[in-house]
Amino acid sequence: MEQLQIVDACREQHFRDMSLLHALGWRAAYRDSIPADYMAREITDERWVPVFRQNYGEGRYHGLLLYNGEQPLCCATYGPARVDQSAGDTICDFSSPDLAAWGELVSLYAHPDCWGQGYGSVVMEEVLRRLSAAGYPGCFLYVLRENDRARRFYEKHGFTWDGHSLVVTLTPDTILTDLRYCKTFSPLHHTDIINNKG
C-alpha cells in the first residue's frame, strides 16, 4: 500500500535523495545524447548535493520531494526566474531576463523505475500550484530538444515551446540544445487559489 507524501527539502538526506534522482534521471534519459565517459565522470550520485544545500540555505530556490514511505520517487526544484547563475552549479547560462517576473521549474526528475506511473504529475501540479499562489504570472522551464519523453510530459501539462533555445556545450564533441517551454497561469487559476486558501 502506497504511503505518498510531499516533503520540502530541508535536511541532508533530502539533498542526497534529490541528487540521486537527478543522477538516475540523467543516466536514463540522456544515455543516447551524452557520452558515457562524461556521464561516468560528471554525473555522480552526489553531484548536486552542494547545490541543493546552497539553495536551501539561501531560501531562493526550493526543493520538493515525493516519497512512498522512505523511498524517494520524484523531485523538483523551483523558484523565481534565473536571471543569472544564482541557482547553483549549472552547465550553461540559463538566464532568462525577459521572463524575470515569472516562476521557473529549474528541474524535475522521477526515478526511472517509476516512469509512467503519475508521480511526476503529482510533483508538477504541486509546483504549479505553489508558483501560482505566490503570484507569478506563469512558469517556464528548459528541456533538452532530444528528450521527446519529457517534452510530451510538459506539453501534457500545458507547456509550449516559446521559440527560445540555448546551446549547451558539454564537451567539444557534445553540443546539445535546450528549448524553453512556458505556461501562463490563467486569472481563473489565481482566483481559485485565493478562494481555496485555508
Side-chain angles (χ1 to χ4, degrees), residues 97-166:
D98 57 320
L99 294 179
W102 283 46
E104 182 176 359
L105 177 64
V106 177
S107 65
L108 175 70
Y109 286 97
H111 196 296
D113 292 346
C114 301
W115 285 0
Q117 297 182 32
Y119 299 125
S121 293
V122 171
V123 174
M124 169 64 84
E125 290 303 321
E126 179 62 15
V127 168
L128 294 177
R129 185 192 70 77
R130 291 182 179 204
L131 290 174
S132 181
Y136 292 106
C139 175
F140 71 92
L141 57 91
Y142 284 96
V143 59
L144 196 66
R145 180 177 61 192
E146 293 79 7
N147 194 345
D148 291 332
R149 183 187 185 94
R151 291 176 64 182
R152 289 194 301 271
F153 171 82
Y154 294 129
E155 288 164 3
K156 183 181 78 172
H157 287 277
F159 286 83
T160 55
W161 180 39
D162 71 351
H164 178 76
S165 62
L166 56 82

Side-chain angles (χ1 to χ4, degrees), residues 66-82:
L66 177 66
Y67 285 94
N68 178 20
E70 296 184 1
Q71 177 65 37
L73 303 176
C74 184
C75 70
T77 306
Y78 67 96
R82 288 176 287 183

Side-chain angles (χ1 to χ4, degrees), residues 19-44:
S19 186
L20 175 62
L21 288 173
H22 278 60
L24 293 173
W26 270 64
R27 293 168 195 155
Y30 309 141
R31 64 164 62 99
D32 296 327
S33 304
I34 297 176
D37 61 336
Y38 180 91
M39 285 282 207
R41 182 178 68 252
E42 299 290 339
I43 310 304
T44 63

